[in-house]
Amino acid sequence: SLDVQLQHQFGNFINFDTGLLNPVNTDGVLPLPDYRDVAVSQVKFTQFLSESVAVYFGKINTINGVAETAFTGGEGKTTFMNCSNILQPVAFRTIPPSALGGGVVIFLPDVTVKDHSVLSFNVLGSNGHPTTSGFNEDFEDGQVFLATYSQPSRFFDKPGNHHFLATYSTKDFTLLDQSPPWLTEPPYGDTTGLDKGEDSWSLMYNMDQYIYTEEEDETQGFGFFGRVGFADDKTSSIANFYGAGLGGKGMIDGRDNDTWGIGYFYTQLSKKLGPAIERNFGDSQGVEVFYNIEVTKSLHLSPNFQIIEPSSNRVDTTYIAGL
């Protein structure tokens, strides 16, 4: 199969007004914030070698479908809007949003069996970018290794899933525990002369479990999800992440394709950040609720409401409504 994805963004977004490090509207930062041209974020070729093994390579959109739970995912279009309820922010330091690379996927015992396990190994260019093409720069500063394992479960005789992810980047990243003037004095953001770390890593676990399902259709019902993540606090500004929530589908008679979700997240900053950051930023948390209404098969409307305790000390509790 050949999978090509083009992205274009227009309009204005409130992501930079909320005081939160992670965007409250994920779709508003894809392919990049305030990028007004068309970006080819994915050109991926996949070939099955057997019913148990597939390989793929090309330019890969890493935001799309990496260990999603049954109640999250969708790139901010079909479930939650807040990036913290969709992706694991501890991986942002190591994984580029789009990069050249490839990988192998192993289905256990094979892809034709219901509730099969999935093991994958991936290699990406550490300098990957959704708006560039060619082979010159993606691997110039190192590689990113991503390993995932997904295991279905049948607790309470109901479907569930468990996803384990690990990333490792050989790129040299700026160490966070350094003198703060580069953050507070011109030229802002200039990292010249700062010490670099040798690498960076992250570990993640996502799970979902249905509590109730209809006998004739196991996708109709409700359950819960949970997510935890840890990153290298020497190089990643987000060190720890915790999230949990409830979700469901078709809970109202005659509304089989409606979905809903309630999600909570807590993002913990690295303790290695200097005092200049600690005076102005701290840990953040938030709650988000959505209900996705099927108007027709091809048209859905999804009201969304969020309450955010932001990272920035200059911004009070934020209330966000969206559609």
Side-chain angles (χ1 to χ4, degrees):
S1 65
L2 179 64
D3 186 346
V4 180
Q5 183 175 9
L6 287 79
Q7 292 180 311
H8 175 60
Q9 178 192 117
F10 61 92
N12 299 312
F13 300 90
I14 64 170
N15 285 320
F16 297 110
D17 301 324
T18 63
L20 197 67
L21 294 180
N22 299 321
V24 298
N25 184 347
T26 302
D27 205 32
V29 295
L30 300 176
L32 289 174
D34 296 325
Y35 186 80
R36 299 303 185 223
D37 296 325
V38 175
V40 182
S41 55
Q42 179 157 285
V43 181
K44 183 174 71 172
F45 178 76
T46 303
Q47 176 64 55
F48 271 85
L49 306 180
S50 71
E51 292 181 341
S52 299
V53 179
V55 295
Y56 64 88
F57 59 88
K59 187 175 179 65
I60 300 167
N61 177 8
T62 61
I63 304 296
N64 188 13
V66 177
E68 296 177 352
T69 74
F71 309 114
T72 62
E75 298 186 26
K77 301 179 181 70
T78 58
T79 61
F80 296 101
M81 277 183 156
N82 194 302
C83 184
S84 295
N85 282 322
I86 300 172
L87 304 171
Q88 281 269 15
V90 295
F92 290 168
R93 172 57 86 186
T94 52
I95 301 181
S98 176
L100 292 173
V104 57
V105 185
I106 303 171
F107 301 89
L108 305 171
D110 62 65
V111 74
T112 65
V113 175
K114 183 182 179 182
D115 294 335
H116 54 261
S117 302
V118 181
L119 178 65
S120 71
F121 299 95
N122 313 267
V123 181
L124 303 168
S126 62
N127 289 344
H129 207 268
T131 62
T132 60
S133 61
F135 297 88
N136 296 330
E137 298 182 359
D138 277 31
F139 290 90
E140 183 176 359
D141 293 329
Q143 304 82 39
V144 178
F145 300 94
L146 169 64
T148 68
Y149 177 71
S150 298
Q151 175 65 50
S153 63
R154 295 291 302 184
F155 295 120
F156 320 114
D157 197 31
K158 305 297 181 184
N161 295 280
H162 305 267
H163 307 287
F164 303 87
L165 304 90
T167 72
Y168 175 75
S169 176
T170 63
K171 184 177 180 178
D172 289 341
F173 294 97
T174 301
L175 295 173
L176 299 180
D177 57 348
Q178 299 186 63
S179 181
W182 70 280
L183 296 168
T184 58
E185 300 175 1
Y188 301 108
D190 184 9
T191 61
T192 303
L194 293 179
D195 293 334
K196 300 281 188 176
E198 294 182 356
D199 47 34
S200 191
W201 56 266
S202 65
L203 297 172
M204 294 155 280
Y205 167 66
N206 301 336
M207 63 82 61
D208 61 79
Q209 177 63 55
Y210 273 92
I211 300 173
Y212 165 81
T213 60
E214 296 182 0
E215 292 185 4
E216 61 274 13
D217 185 358
E218 285 192 335
T219 67
Q220 303 286 315
F222 67 91
F224 62 91
F225 64 90
R227 300 179 301 144
V228 295
F230 309 97
D232 184 355
D233 64 352
K234 299 188 300 297
T235 56
S236 175
S237 58
I238 297 176
N240 303 311
F241 173 81
Y242 310 93
L246 302 172
K249 179 182 178 182
M251 297 301 297
I252 300 176
D253 288 341
R255 307 296 310 171
D256 287 349
N257 292 317
D258 287 4
T259 59
W260 59 273
I262 303 171
Y264 167 79
F265 67 88
Y266 183 88
T267 301
Q268 188 174 39
L269 297 184
S270 170
K271 300 301 183 183
K272 302 294 185 180
L273 291 168
I277 293 293
E278 294 178 348
R279 284 194 298 267
N280 296 286
F281 294 91
D283 299 343
S284 61
Q285 59 183 332
V287 176
E288 180 180 9
V289 181
F290 79 89
Y291 190 92
N292 188 308
I293 305 165
E294 183 187 64
V295 180
T296 69
K297 292 294 183 182
S298 59
L299 175 63
H300 287 237
L301 294 177
S302 184
N304 180 289
F305 184 70
Q306 304 178 46
I307 304 175
I308 305 295
E309 290 290 343
S311 297
S312 174
N313 297 334
R314 301 177 183 178
V315 181
D316 294 329
T317 300
T318 305
Y319 304 88
I320 301 165
L323 179 67

